[in-house]
Structures are given as structure tokens and as C-alpha cells.
Amino acid sequence: MKIFVAISLIILLILLIQNKYRASILFTGLASIYFLFDFLTFEKLVNSYTNNSLLTLILLLLVSIALEKTVLIEIFSKAVITKSYKSTFIKLGIITSIFSAFLNNTAVVASLMSIIKNNKYHLPSTLLLPLSYFAIFGGTMTLIGTSTNLLVNSFLIDNGHQSLKIFDFLYVGFFISLFSISILYLCRNFLPKNKNITDKIEEHIIEVKVLSKSSLISKSIKENGLRNLEYLFLIEINRNGKVLSPVSPNEIIEKDDKLLFSGNIKYLEVLKKFDGLKLVDNVDVKDLNLIDVIITPQSTLVGKKVKEANFRSKFDSAIISLKRGSLNISKIGDEILQSGDRLILSVGKDFNNRDNINKNFYVLSNIKQNEKLSMQKSIFVSLGFIISIVVSAFGFISLFKALLIFFIALLFFKTVTLDNIKRRFPYDIFMIIGSSLAISKVLISSGLANDLANIITNTFGQFGIFGSFVGIYLLTLILTEFITNNAAAALSFPIAYATAIGLDVNVLPFVFAVAFGASASFMIPYGYQTNLMVSSLGGYKMKDFIKVGWPVSLVYSLVVIIFVPLFFKF
């Protein structure tokens, strides 16, 4: 059993790193396999999906639907951007951290991205990456600041311990935010100054197909006037699978040729003067209506190939261009979509009326989005949420009950509708956390968690209990840079818990090592969803994350390693 579990976890880790399949499918699949092999009883499997902290998280995310509609974030965000970069940076850090301590991090970042992108004072690339980091810092300050904290709390309760309180994370989280924002400001010169993002959509790769009726056929590139287009450059011709590059001015255009252009997609309309050209999915160049979007972490598109995603039927749209960070994807059809991918869509008239747009995309273009609540309703929703947090923080009622009462009130006053719930229900998070709890039980019952804990203890134990604590933190930090934060916490917690039990010490320092370590994703954009969100919009490359992220990760880690044992004794 132990060998089977070990092999299955290695396979899971490899698949998570490859990022080709949705984490929810991988975790649910592995939990199902364990159940089929009788490593899990039916009761333990079901109990994993009805855990109190998991249900609390689901309620919190559903309540967030109403919070995202309030005008308060928008009002505060408008006051953030000023002529002074220092003032803008500090205010953005404080406001983002505070909001992220209580609201969904992705919602906070999504609300502020467009404002930063369209500001007239500062380059977006000097603020977007800090925005993502600020949201991460803020998420460490409360139990509900990030799904990772609630996931770790779920594991803790599942092992017979009392639930952590809302502000137990604040003791360390406050210092994380304080010192991390400070070091990020000192390292602001490391942020790239991508000037081409401020007033235009940056360079994209665009593919068009030559139809049989086109007048371009049998004429050369030069004769057709395709050589000296002002904003677009013909970089490649794909002819029956054969690539012609560089393209000679004397090359003759043939039927069904696929022409690849590089350039500013805002000026794609220059192709309208050429007849018989069609974009992907049979979109006529002359019927273009372009929208700029980013794929959300909750999107059903994640893990699917573009040609299998049925964009036309689902969204009345077609992908014109795909960017991943600063990378242009040329072979769009075979590409597997990821959270954070930036798409330029050619949309039809029905695009704005589809009810699945907001779940799948953060829309950056100026089109109709969800209506905001009135100021009166915004105040009602905000006060209701604050009261729920306060009464639970003082122990008058559990957080789950407080949120449940608030959620019922939102439904009663139709601030949140059943249609909202259907479209925004966090199926992925529910499946990942429920399955993670089940997998964790197998790790512990098989003895594998204890064996891995012994490896940690033997490696770092020469430095005492503190050394083992540091070892658990580093393990989680490394995992979260390569896989998602929730996945890192799910794999690290059983090892951390077994280590604490084996050393016969307080489990809380090791629990917080996992919680804070799972949020410490700064150097690789794939581990944390807000990093992915800003990656394409800011035009960041991997080296940008490494250059800015390593000093932040170092300071963040030092704060965790020093302050956790101070507030939570071994």
C-alpha cells in the first residue's frame, strides 16, 4: 500500500507541475482511486467533502459574489493612483492588503487591474506585479484571507484539533505585509518598464487563411502589398504543413495558405482591404469586433485544447491571438489553455448576453460587465459582512453560522441570485479541498507521511526542532512555486503534522509553516493565480518574477521563520 501511494503521489506531482490538467480533476481522480482500492472508507471520503472549514470557504466565496458587486473597491481604487509613484505604491499596497485579508484575492486583483492598466501617470508594469504580491501578503493576515489558510484549518480540524480563529494569522501576517511591502518598494527599480502597454495592446501573432476566391492568389507578396504594411509584418507562411520563413517578397500566394503576421493587433483592420482572408474559426476580417480578456482560475477552459473548447458555441467568439506572459502562442489550435492566458477574442453580437462570460474571463476591454450595486446596497452588503466577521471573531457565533445567516439575507433581498450561484459556484475549490482531505488521510494511515517526516527530521533535525520546522517551511515553499498553493498545502500538511507528532511538540508552528509557505509564490508565475492574472497584462517574463521575487521571498521567509516560533511556541 505504501509503495502504491508513494508512486501515485509522485505521478500526481508530475502532472501538477506539467499544468496540462485541471488540479480538481487530478485530486478527485486520485481520491477516487484510493476509495476503489479500499484505502478509504465511504464514510471518510464523504466526511472529507462535508468538512466544516470547507463548507465555510464555499459560503465565503458565495458571499463574495455580492461583495464584488459593491462600489466600495472601485471608490477606494480611484483614490489610489496619483502623480507620485511612491504615494501610489504605498496606498496600493495598504488598500490591496486590507481588502485581500477579507475578500477573494483574485476578485481584488481583478477589480484593480483595469484601473492600473488605464492609468495615465505610471507604467502598468511597475504596478501590476506589486499588486499581485500585495494580494498575497494581505491573504496571510486572516483565516479567510486565502483558501489555503482555510484548507490548512480543515486539515487541523480533521485531525481532532480546534479550529483556528479568524485573526490567529494576524500575529505573523501583519509583519509579513509590513516587511514585504517595504522590501518590494526598495526593489522597485527591478520592475520592468514595458512602455508599449500604456496606450495600446502590445504585439501579438495573428494567423489568417487565404480563401479560394481571394484575389491575392497567384500574385507575389510584393505585388499584393503585404510586404510593407505599417503596423503588421508577415513573418511566416504555412503551406500544407510546410513553413516558409523568412518570407521572400517574390513568394507567390496560393489557395489555403496560412499567413502569420506579427504586430499591433489594434491595427488588424488594415487587413480589411485584402479580400478573401479569414481568421481562425472562419471569422471574416471585415467583421471584426475585438475584446481583450484573461482566463480566470475557475474557468472551465483551463486544461482544454483551444480547438476542443468550442468558443463559437459557448461564447459566440473566436480566439484571434493568445499570449502567455510575454510569450506569443502561434499554433493556437493545439495549445492547452491555462489560467492567466490573455486572449484577443473576435466576438459576435450575442457575446455580451452570455451568462458564462464572468466565470471564464476577466474582461479588460470596455464592454458591458456585471452591474454594480447602488451605494445603499453596497453599504448594506459591506456592513453585513463586517458584522458577520466581528460576531464570529468574538465567539458569539461560529463563522459558518454567521456567514450562513448573511448569505440567506443576500438571497432574500435578491442581492445574490440562484443564477449567480449556478454560474459562480466554486466547483474546482470544492473538489480540490475535499479530495485533498481524503488523500491526506491515506498518507497518514499508510505510514508514508511518517516516513517523509523522518526524512525531514533526519535532514534538518541536527538543528533541533527549529531545524525541522524550517525544513517543513522550505518544502512547502518549493512545492508552491511549481504547483498551485492549495496543492502544495495538501501535500505538505500530512508531512508537517507527522513531523510535529513525531517530535512530540506543538503542531501549530508546523501548521503555520505550511499555511504561510503555501502562499509564498513569488519567483515563478504558475504557483499563485494572481501572478498568472498580471503576467500577460504586464508583459512580464520569467526573469522579471525571479528578479523581483527573490528578495521578496527571502524577506517573507525570514519573517515567517523568525516570528512564527515567537508567537506559537514549540
Side-chain angles (χ1 to χ4, degrees):
M1 174 182 179
K2 188 184 298 185
I3 295 175
F4 179 83
V5 172
I7 293 173
S8 65
L9 287 175
I10 291 171
I11 294 173
L12 173 66
L13 187 60
I14 292 171
L15 292 175
L16 286 169
I17 292 172
Q18 289 179 340
N19 201 29
K20 291 183 178 180
Y21 306 95
R22 294 171 69 175
S24 56
I25 295 175
L26 296 175
F27 274 91
T28 305
L30 184 57
S32 301
I33 290 172
Y34 288 164
F35 172 67
L36 292 174
F37 279 84
D38 291 328
F39 296 164
L40 276 170
T41 65
F42 178 77
E43 290 74 17
K44 286 184 177 180
L45 182 64
V46 172
N47 288 341
S48 298
Y49 291 94
T50 55
N51 180 279
N52 180 270
S53 288
L54 173 56
L55 297 180
T56 300
L57 173 59
I58 299 302
L59 261 181
L60 182 66
L61 294 175
L62 294 178
V63 165
S64 293
I65 296 173
L67 291 166
E68 291 168 23
K69 293 181 182 180
T70 65
V71 296
L72 298 182
I73 294 181
E74 189 174 320
I75 291 173
F76 278 108
S77 63
K78 286 180 178 178
V80 168
I81 308 294
T82 62
K83 289 183 179 180
S84 168
Y85 179 76
K86 179 179 180 180
S87 173
T88 299
F89 189 96
I90 293 173
K91 286 194 292 184
L92 182 65
I94 293 173
I95 289 175
T96 305
S97 297
I98 291 173
F99 274 117
S100 294
F102 299 98
L103 302 178
N104 185 292
N105 290 353
T106 57
V108 174
V109 171
S111 299
L112 293 168
M113 279 196 311
S114 292
I115 292 169
I116 291 174
K117 173 180 177 283
N118 297 316
N119 90 91
K120 60 183 179 180
Y121 297 119
H122 312 289
L123 295 173
S125 60
T126 63
L127 291 173
L128 285 169
L129 189 54
L131 171 65
S132 176
Y133 288 172
F134 294 151
I136 294 173
F137 304 153
T140 66
M141 292 198 288
T142 66
L143 174 64
I144 61 174
T146 175
S147 59
T148 308
N149 292 352
L150 281 162
L151 170 60
V152 169
N153 191 50
S154 301
F155 287 130
L156 191 63
I157 295 171
D158 208 46
N159 283 280
H161 297 270
Q162 286 188 336
S163 172
L164 295 169
K165 296 181 175 61
I166 290 179
F167 293 107
D168 282 349
F169 287 82
L170 186 60
Y171 301 112
V172 179
F174 171 78
F175 291 103
I176 285 176
S177 296
L178 177 63
F179 288 105
S180 297
I181 290 175
S182 300
I183 190 62
L184 187 53
Y185 178 74
L186 293 175
C187 296
R188 64 191 183 280
N189 290 331
F190 291 165
L191 291 164
K193 295 177 175 58
N194 297 329
K195 295 181 180 180
N196 59 333
I197 302 177
T198 55
D199 57 2
K200 62 185 180 180
I201 299 173
E202 68 273 23
E203 185 177 272
H204 285 257
I205 298 293
I206 307 105
E207 179 181 283
V208 297
K209 183 179 180 179
V210 180
L211 301 181
S212 58
K213 62 180 182 180
S214 176
S215 61
L216 302 178
I217 296 172
S218 300
K219 296 179 183 177
S220 70
I221 298 297
K222 186 177 181 179
E223 288 173 330
N224 282 311
L226 292 170
R227 188 65 179 174
N228 297 310
L229 296 177
E230 188 173 357
Y231 301 105
L232 299 174
F233 180 72
L234 181 60
I235 59 173
E236 179 182 301
I237 296 178
N238 189 316
R239 181 173 296 155
N240 298 321
K242 181 181 178 182
V243 175
L244 306 177
S245 179
V247 181
S248 167
N250 299 317
E251 187 66 44
I252 303 298
I253 297 290
E254 296 182 8
K255 183 183 73 170
D256 294 332
D257 276 354
K258 294 179 181 178
L259 313 180
L260 247 65
F261 290 92
S262 173
N264 189 335
I265 205 167
K266 285 180 69 174
Y267 298 97
L268 189 56
E269 291 194 356
V270 301
L271 294 179
K272 287 186 177 181
K273 65 181 181 181
F274 303 103
D275 72 298
L277 293 182
K278 282 204 173 183
L279 294 153
V280 291
D281 204 17
N282 290 323
V283 177
D284 196 305
V285 172
K286 299 188 178 185
D287 297 327
L288 284 178
N289 180 17
L290 301 180
I291 295 295
D292 192 4
V293 302
I294 291 178
I295 295 179
T296 70
Q298 298 81 26
S299 174
T300 56
L301 298 170
V302 175
K304 290 184 178 179
K305 283 188 177 182
V306 170
K307 61 185 178 183
E308 298 170 352
N310 299 318
F311 266 76
R312 178 57 66 193
S313 60
K314 285 184 178 179
F315 311 111
D316 189 26
S317 66
I319 301 177
I320 303 303
S321 176
L322 168 59
K323 292 198 75 168
R324 183 166 297 143
S326 60
L327 178 66
N328 280 302
I329 306 297
S330 57
K331 297 182 179 179
I332 296 177
D334 293 325
E335 191 64 28
I336 295 176
L337 294 168
Q338 297 180 13
S339 168
D341 283 351
R342 186 180 180 188
L343 311 177
I344 303 298
L345 300 179
S346 174
V347 302
K349 295 179 180 179
D350 197 40
F351 179 82
N352 292 347
N353 300 321
R354 299 295 173 100
D355 62 4
N356 56 355
I357 301 302
N358 291 302
K359 179 179 180 180
N360 289 282
F361 307 115
Y362 298 118
V363 182
L364 303 175
S365 298
N366 187 25
I367 67 165
K368 180 180 178 181
Q369 301 201 36
N370 278 343
E371 297 292 332
K372 292 290 184 181
L373 298 175
S374 65
M375 178 58 74
Q376 185 178 4
K377 282 192 173 183
S378 294
I379 293 173
F380 162 73
V381 170
S382 301
L383 284 177
F385 181 69
I386 291 171
I387 291 170
S388 301
I389 298 301
V390 170
V391 296
S392 60
F394 282 97
F396 297 121
I397 190 174
S398 70
L399 179 60
F400 178 80
K401 289 182 179 179
L403 288 174
L404 181 60
I405 294 170
F406 181 43
F407 183 61
I408 291 172
L410 293 175
L411 287 172
F412 181 79
F413 290 105
K414 297 183 179 180
T415 311
V416 173
T417 65
L418 293 177
D419 188 52
N420 292 147
I421 296 171
K422 182 180 73 173
R423 287 189 283 117
R424 295 287 302 278
F425 190 86
Y427 295 104
D428 275 10
I429 289 178
F430 178 75
M431 292 166 66
I432 289 172
I433 294 181
S435 302
S436 298
L437 289 166
I439 292 169
S440 175
K441 292 172 184 176
V442 175
L443 246 74
I444 293 173
S445 64
S446 68
L448 181 61
N450 190 57
D451 290 347
L452 295 173
N454 288 334
I455 294 174
I456 294 287
T457 304
N458 292 334
T459 304
F460 295 92
Q462 55 184 318
F463 301 105
I465 297 171
F466 180 75
S468 297
F469 160 77
V470 173
I472 291 295
Y473 173 78
L474 292 176
L475 170 67
T476 313
L477 180 143
I478 292 169
L479 284 175
T480 203
E481 289 288 9
F482 292 96
I483 59 179
T484 65
N485 52 334
N486 284 329
L491 295 176
S492 296
F493 184 90
I495 303 170
Y497 187 79
T499 300
I501 297 299
L503 294 170
D504 194 25
V505 296
N506 182 15
V507 300
L508 286 184
F510 292 84
V511 170
F512 282 107
V514 172
F516 292 130
S519 290
S521 179
F522 302 109
M523 290 186 288
I524 298 177
Y526 311 115
Y528 208 87
Q529 52 204 21
T530 58
N531 288 342
L532 281 171
M533 288 167 63
V534 303
S535 178
S536 292
L537 188 60
Y540 299 114
K541 299 178 181 178
M542 180 74 77
K543 67 178 183 180
D544 296 323
F545 279 90
I546 295 173
K547 188 188 296 184
V548 180
W550 79 261
V552 174
S553 185
L554 178 62
V555 170
Y556 179 106
S557 298
L558 287 174
V559 172
V560 173
I561 290 169
I562 293 170
F563 281 87
V564 167
L566 286 179
F567 290 107
F568 304 96
K569 305 296 182 182
F570 290 116

